Amino acid sequence: MHAIPAPAFLFNLCVGYFAPRCLHLVTQLGVADVLGNTPMSSEELARATGAHADSLHRMMRMLAAHGVFERRGHGWVHTDYSEHLKERHPQSQRSFVLMMGNDINWSAAGVLGGTLRTGETACDAVSPGGLWPYLRARPDEARIFDAAMNSKSHMAIGAVLQGMDFHRYEHIADIAGGRGHILTAILDAAPRARGTLFDLPDVVAHALTHPRMKGQAGDFFTGPLPRADVYLLSNVLHDWTDPQAIAIFRRIREVAPPHAEVLVLEMMLPEGSEPHPAVAMDLIMLSLTGGRERTQGEYDILLAEGGFKLDRIISTDSPYSILVGKVA
């Protein structure tokens, strides 16, 4: 491949936000669900979705340049990427795309300059109290957020089941496990294990059901947490600062038996500058929650401060890694 000249490279980089914005807006219209197995013109798609035909055509052209949808003759057809924008696709990313394009995310990205100067979370500048009060006051956006987390959990489920054999654990505790999508999948794969789903009371109250899973409501900063053979922290620590992440580990360590393990499922930052989804996710955390993604070395420190030692790291066929910690 020939290197892109520097001016062209910088041009592409500085205007790059138009592609995700087109993705957000076209997904909001539901174009992926309207488009069937035969090509449809921009005019047909516009009539079906209530869009302006020429504007839709130009946005579809932008997405097609990134492999999302394909121009065929005078119409548009699906690609594998655009298929994943369908609401009923088994690995649909529609809700996650909608969440990233909602007002709080887009506005927070727009005020990152303040974060650059002060270190304060951008989301707090556009919504007093930050993300969680914003969602509590807006049920429709909260439902999109929950659906996005559920769709994200499906990717995490595959990574966890691929990387770990849970048959040797009798009791599995999923800490801040949401509605229990990951834990129920683990219990299905390990029929002799039982599980405890630990999360805030309103989350546990609306959790999935499983004959070998019980819910325990609480706050992981105050405890008490369940006593178990293994503790799963999936997409949890990146929401929090280092002192808060250490506090979570310490609460687990207070109740963990000597043989217990802790499994941390996160996107791990590379030590160098190579591309990785964790780099973008780190900026999302900076913008929305004040948390961060971390390198292996940074997780070593957090685990040690929290009473654990890093035993091994398991790579998966996904952006996620599983860090296995043992009681120190």
Side-chain angles (χ1 to χ4, degrees):
M1 293 180 61
H2 296 290
I4 300 175
F9 175 86
L10 292 174
F11 175 87
N12 288 339
L13 186 61
C14 75
V15 302
Y17 59 87
F18 278 99
R21 195 55 179 157
C22 290
L23 181 64
H24 302 152
L25 297 173
V26 168
T27 302
Q28 287 175 4
L29 282 177
V31 169
D33 288 306
V34 169
L35 186 58
N37 296 324
T38 58
M40 292 181 67
S41 68
S42 299
E43 290 75 15
E44 290 172 321
L45 288 172
R47 283 195 296 271
T49 60
H52 179 261
D54 183 61
S55 299
L56 176 60
H57 179 82
R58 293 157 78 173
M59 292 189 184
M60 294 287 285
R61 184 168 56 196
M62 166 65 85
L63 294 178
H66 291 267
V68 182
F69 302 109
E70 178 185 329
R71 183 77 166 151
R72 187 173 298 172
H74 296 291
W76 298 101
V77 296
H78 272 297
T79 64
D80 180 57
Y81 296 142
S82 62
E83 291 276 359
H84 284 72
L85 296 175
K86 291 181 177 179
E87 186 171 10
R88 297 187 181 278
H89 192 284
Q91 295 177 316
S92 174
Q93 294 301 302
R94 177 180 181 272
S95 294
F96 191 82
V97 171
L98 291 177
M99 181 199 71
M100 291 308 303
N102 68 14
D103 287 344
I104 189 69
N105 283 279
W106 198 247
S107 298
V111 298
L112 269 175
T115 301
L116 181 62
R117 291 187 295 272
T118 67
E120 296 178 359
T121 305
C123 186
D124 294 345
V126 296
S127 179
L131 178 63
W132 311 121
Y134 175 89
L135 291 175
R136 284 195 292 270
R138 295 165 177 81
D140 289 344
E141 292 198 32
R143 282 190 287 272
I144 292 173
F145 179 87
D146 290 341
M149 295 302 100
N150 290 342
S151 67
K152 191 178 175 188
S153 75
H154 293 306
M155 182 166 56
I157 288 168
V160 168
L161 295 182
Q162 174 204 350
M164 292 294 300
D165 180 2
F166 288 90
H167 287 85
R168 60 194 179 93
Y169 302 117
E170 292 184 9
H171 185 193
I172 303 163
D174 192 356
I175 307 303
R179 295 184 59 204
H181 289 84
I182 296 178
L183 183 54
T184 55
I186 291 172
L187 294 176
D188 285 341
R192 295 170 59 184
R194 57 189 174 90
T196 297
L197 178 69
F198 183 93
D199 213 311
L200 296 172
D202 59 329
V203 178
V204 172
H206 297 92
L208 303 176
T209 59
H210 192 283
R212 287 178 282 112
M213 182 180 80
K214 69 175 184 178
Q216 180 176 331
D219 183 330
F220 52 38
F221 288 121
T222 58
L225 274 65
R227 182 179 173 88
D229 300 309
V230 62
Y231 296 85
L232 177 63
L233 290 165
S234 173
N235 288 298
V236 172
L237 296 181
H238 74 164
D239 284 336
W240 304 99
T241 64
D242 287 354
Q244 291 168 322
I246 291 168
I248 295 169
F249 278 131
R250 287 178 177 172
R251 290 294 174 265
I252 295 174
R253 181 63 184 87
E254 288 174 357
V255 297
H259 67 274
E261 294 182 334
V262 59
L263 309 180
V264 176
L265 181 74
E266 295 280 4
M267 295 183 188
M268 194 159 57
L269 280 170
E271 297 286 352
S273 57
E274 58 267 31
H276 192 281
V279 178
M281 185 61 72
D282 182 56
L283 287 176
I284 294 172
M285 294 299 102
L286 176 66
S287 172
L288 291 184
T289 70
R292 65 191 309 128
E293 303 301 326
R294 297 174 174 93
T295 64
Q296 176 184 334
E298 290 167 334
Y299 277 114
D300 277 333
I301 295 171
L302 294 186
L303 283 160
E305 291 287 332
F308 295 90
K309 58 183 178 182
L310 182 62
D311 181 66
R312 62 193 185 278
I313 297 175
I314 301 170
S315 299
T316 71
D317 293 334
S318 78
Y320 291 106
S321 297
I322 304 172
L323 297 92
V324 182
K326 293 183 175 292
V327 173

